[in-house]
């Protein structure tokens, strides 16, 4: 298994951001990752992982959380 294989499996993964994810990072397979994005992330946003490294996950917002929901 090549280095980075676990991280590469996360590309395309979708999940809904929680407050804990924003504060502490997100955990997959027992590994915590910091989140990075080119836009602001908010609790409730549905995001997709576009890149993954040992230093963090880059995500893009697929469906933003709507205010008042």
């Amino acid at each position: 298994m090549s280095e980075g294989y676990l991280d590469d499996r996360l590309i395309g993964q979708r999940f809904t951001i929680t407050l804990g994810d924003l504060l502490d990072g997100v955990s997959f397979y027992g590994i915590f990752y910091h989140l990075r994005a080119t836009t602001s992330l908010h609790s409730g946003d549905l995001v997709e992982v576009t890149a993954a490294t040992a230093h963090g996950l880059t995500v893009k917002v697929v469906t933003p959380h709507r205010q008042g929901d």
Side-chain angles (χ1 to χ4, degrees):
M1 189 177 305
S2 66
E3 183 177 332
Y5 172 75
L6 182 61
D7 299 325
D8 290 344
R9 292 192 317 176
L10 297 175
I11 295 174
Q13 176 80 28
R14 289 184 175 192
F15 61 96
T16 301
I17 297 284
T18 66
L19 181 58
D21 297 337
L22 293 172
L23 297 174
D24 302 324
V26 64
S27 174
F28 288 102
Y29 307 107
I31 301 170
F32 276 92
Y33 294 91
H34 294 284
L35 295 176
R36 291 180 282 200
T38 57
T39 60
S40 295
L41 297 174
H42 301 92
S43 182
D45 288 348
L46 175 66
V47 297
E48 181 176 322
V49 177
T50 58
T53 69
H55 301 289
L57 300 177
T58 302
V59 297
K60 69 176 181 180
V61 176
V62 176
T63 306
H65 173 72
R66 293 188 342 223
Q67 294 290 45
D69 283 352

